[in-house]
Amino acid sequence: MIGLLVIVSLAWTAFVKPEKDREKALAASGTESISTLPQYQPSDPDEAQLAGGLKQFWAYTGFRNATSGNLIMIVVGLIFIFLAIRYEYEPLLLVPIGTGILIGNVPFFSEGGLNLQIGIYQQGSVLNYLYFGVLKGVYPPLIFLGIGAMTDFSSLISNPRLLFLGAAAQIGIFVTFVGALLLGFAGPEAAAIGIIGGADGPTAIFLSSRLANGVNILPDGTTAKNLIGPIAIAAYSYMALVPVIQPPIMRLLTNSKERLIRMKPPRAVTRTEKVLFPIFGLLLTCFISPSALPLLGMLFFGNLLKESGVTRRLAETARTSLIDIVTIMIGLTVGASTQADVFLTRESVMIFGLGACAFAVATMSGVLFAKVMNIFLPEGDKINPLIGNAGVSAVPDSARVSEMEGLREDKTNHLLMHAMGPNVAGVIGSAIAAGILLSYLG
Amino acid sequence: MKLQLLLSATAPVIDSMTWTIVFVGIAIVFLALACVYLFFRYFLTFILNFRLKSFARKRGIDPAEMVTAKNMQSGEVNAAIAMALYSYMSELHDVESGVITIRRVSKNYSPWSSKLYNMKNL
């Protein structure tokens, strides 16, 4: 890591900075183009051709076109890859995203609007075709199909009251929405930023691709900003940091007695219930919020493939090959969309700040709502508030945080199976919230 | 002070529509999940238990003895029983006499395996 940073610094010092300094000097002296500089004029035509070719080659290299923004983003990409490999923070996401950031920030010649079909934002480039899936919201529903095919809703079916924890954690979305409006974002942009509080990467990409895609025309006649990259990176970064963000909030809001609460083991769930859950879950939630149909429809469809027991091959494909392929595509293209000129803006900094608040508020809402529910629940049937944080839909990381915090207080109190209930409810809840925001502001 | 100025400058964007989205949004999320809760907590359990009891009556079994969603044992209990049975079954082995004997094994002489012969040639 240090070696790479040294290489980057050296490259900057050796190649980029002198060129930039030269350009600055030229600009100061009133000279506009490098081509107008007094140049060495060779007498031999072959030599002139060679010099011209070398000059053209230099003009097209990344070293010639690099900006400080590109280098900053490359360092960010390297940090992502380092965190994924060294500390195993969400490696399945951070490795593709980190590599995507490197790919997206390799500088190339694009002066005068020249389209060499290289960059992700250049029409006709391969990356642009792959980015189509993000821009049009194709990938997120496919990810949801895979999630549905790998999720066991048994803990939720056996204890359905845990659904409310998944709903409570979505308050973070709406609080962040108001926060983003106060910071000057337009309504649709604020809604796309707010969804970071759902802690659900695919949902965040889905909503931002619809509301903050750089194409939509806002009511005041201006165009919505393209915030897909910053929102997706913020959502995935904070999802990877769930084990760091949530525990202090959980400890702050609970006392030792509450953390020691033992919950009843969940009852066994029949196959009929498991089959009926995706069918009626789909109908009940989508009739209330039809805008969430692409996400919830695919989620419950994937779960039906799993639970029906007669479509094992399809379920196997959805939860392995399909979701892996789409994860590669979405990670790489979202990473590549963080091209420095688009990503390194004041808005991105604000989005990261709002994202942190969103996660904190969502965690607080879940934990506090569990405490409120305990007021009405009889003794012996209470909920351990440490599972409230799992209402954010970072599956299964936030449930794992509940388990770790529970074990920290009592080494025999396992909360994982209970926390999986609000965790999967959070997935449903954040998709419904996205649907509501889409129906109001889309 | 700066924050106050910023908030006062952007305050008009928080209008009644914003609060409508916030409160209606939260309410709809709760409502949708409450519908799922009510369905699975009461309606589905009622339907399944009713179906089981009618099945029991047809077969002449006491409905109270039927395994329903309410009295079904948890997976933990089943796992504990299965583990106990496995441990019991895997620990069973032949009963031995307990008499320890030393049996001498006689071998016919062969120069191919003669230790003495091999040592000499070292």
Side-chain angles (χ1 to χ4, degrees), chain A residues 181-182 265 267 276-277 417, chain B residues 10 13 40 44 48 69 74 76:
Chain A
L181 284 174
L182 285 172
R267 69 170 173 82
L276 290 177
F277 182 81
M417 57 189 167
Chain B
T10 56
V13 297
F40 283 93
L44 187 65
L48 289 176
S74 77
E76 274 187 339

Side-chain angles (χ1 to χ4, degrees), chain A residues 157 267-275, chain B residues 48 52 67-69 72:
Chain A
I157 299 168
R267 69 170 173 82
V269 175
T270 62
R271 183 166 169 260
T272 315
E273 285 173 292
K274 284 184 179 182
V275 173
Chain B
L48 289 176
L52 277 169
V67 177
T68 61
M72 191 182 281

Side-chain angles (χ1 to χ4, degrees), chain A residues 160-161 163-164 167-168 174 178 181-182 265-268 270 272-273 276-277 280 284 288 369 417 428 432 436 440, chain B residues 10 13-14 17-18 21-22 24-26 28-30 32-37 39-40 44 48 69 72-74 76:
Chain A
R161 67 189 172 172
L163 276 160
F164 292 111
F174 295 96
V178 175
L181 284 174
L182 285 172
R267 69 170 173 82
T270 62
T272 315
E273 285 173 292
L276 290 177
F277 182 81
F280 284 96
L284 291 168
I288 294 172
F369 198 80
M417 57 189 167
I428 303 169
I432 295 170
I436 295 159
Y440 271 110
Chain B
T10 56
V13 297
I14 307 290
M17 187 61 187
T18 303
I21 292 173
V22 170
V24 173
I26 293 171
I28 291 175
V29 172
F30 272 94
L33 293 178
C35 287
V36 179
Y37 166 76
F39 183 83
F40 283 93
L44 187 65
L48 289 176
M72 191 182 281
Q73 279 171 345
S74 77
E76 274 187 339

Side-chain angles (χ1 to χ4, degrees), chain A residues 293-352:
Chain A
L293 195 56
L295 296 175
L296 290 177
M298 294 300 252
L299 178 80
F300 287 122
F301 170 52
N303 191 246
L304 187 59
L305 290 179
K306 175 181 179 281
E307 301 298 354
S308 66
V310 292
T311 51
R312 289 214 176 94
R313 277 172 49 194
L314 301 185
E316 192 62 25
T317 304
R319 70 168 158 257
T320 54
S321 320
L322 182 67
I323 196 168
D324 288 349
I325 291 167
V326 182
T327 302
I328 290 168
M329 295 294 168
I330 206 167
L332 197 74
T333 49
V334 161
S337 71
T338 62
Q339 225 167 267
D341 53 339
V342 179
F343 190 81
L344 288 178
T345 58
R346 198 171 128 265
E347 282 83 14
S348 297
V349 177
M350 288 199 284
I351 288 169
F352 269 78

Side-chain angles (χ1 to χ4, degrees), chain A residues 21-295:
Chain A
D21 291 345
R22 198 158 67 85
E23 280 181 18
K24 268 187 195 170
L26 287 171
S29 65
T31 316
E32 287 188 350
S33 166
I34 294 169
S35 59
T36 59
L37 281 172
Q39 289 170 2
Y40 165 63
Q41 298 294 330
S43 53
D44 184 0
D46 288 344
E47 200 182 334
Q49 198 175 3
L50 178 67
L54 283 172
K55 192 185 156 198
Q56 190 180 354
F57 169 74
W58 172 248
Y60 278 75
T61 59
F63 296 115
R64 160 68 177 75
N65 295 293
T67 62
S68 52
N70 290 131
L71 295 182
I72 290 168
M73 288 310 297
I74 286 172
V75 172
V76 171
L78 292 173
I79 291 169
F80 270 48
I81 295 171
F82 172 74
L83 289 175
I85 296 172
R86 179 72 180 80
Y87 297 109
E88 295 192 17
Y89 281 169
E90 295 271 357
L92 297 181
L93 291 169
L94 291 194
V95 169
I97 291 176
T99 314
I101 293 174
L102 300 187
I103 291 171
N105 284 284
V106 171
F108 52 86
F109 187 83
S110 60
E111 282 171 25
L114 181 68
N115 183 1
L116 293 173
Q117 300 188 341
I118 300 170
I120 197 162
Y121 295 112
Q122 291 188 321
Q123 288 290 321
S125 73
V126 174
L127 284 173
N128 186 255
Y129 281 115
L130 295 179
Y131 190 53
F132 179 83
V134 172
L135 209 55
K136 294 292 171 191
V138 177
Y139 295 146
L142 292 176
I143 296 262
F144 263 62
L145 177 70
I147 293 171
M150 65 170 72
T151 304
D152 187 356
F153 284 100
S154 300
S155 54
L156 196 61
I157 299 168
S158 64
N159 197 357
R161 67 189 172 172
L162 298 179
L163 276 160
F164 292 111
L165 296 180
Q170 308 316 316
I171 291 170
I173 293 175
F174 295 96
V175 171
T176 314
F177 167 64
V178 175
L181 284 174
L182 285 172
L183 285 178
F185 286 97
E189 294 164 357
I193 294 165
I195 205 72
I196 297 173
D200 193 336
T203 308
I205 292 170
F206 179 76
L207 197 66
S208 54
S209 71
R210 296 294 173 90
L211 298 179
N213 52 13
V215 178
N216 286 4
I217 305 295
L218 298 173
D220 61 359
T222 57
T223 308
K225 295 185 190 84
N226 183 359
L227 303 176
I228 301 173
I231 289 171
I233 297 289
Y236 280 121
S237 305
Y238 289 127
M239 279 166 67
L241 291 173
V242 154
V244 180
I245 298 170
Q246 289 194 325
I249 299 168
M250 292 158 70
R251 284 173 219 153
L252 187 73
L253 296 176
T254 53
N255 58 40
S256 184
K257 194 184 163 196
E258 287 168 333
R259 291 196 286 267
L260 286 169
I261 292 175
R262 279 178 180 270
M263 293 175 67
K264 272 190 198 168
R267 69 170 173 82
V269 175
T270 62
R271 183 166 169 260
T272 315
E273 285 173 292
K274 284 184 179 182
V275 173
L276 290 177
F277 182 81
I279 297 170
F280 284 96
L282 168 72
L283 295 173
L284 291 168
T285 54
C286 289
F287 264 76
I288 294 172
S289 177
S291 305
L293 195 56
L295 296 175

Side-chain angles (χ1 to χ4, degrees), chain B residues 90-105:
Chain B
S90 61
E91 279 172 13
L92 292 179
H93 53 82
D94 297 337
V95 180
E96 293 175 5
S97 66
V99 179
I100 299 169
T101 55
I102 299 171
R103 192 169 57 171
R104 292 182 183 278
V105 180

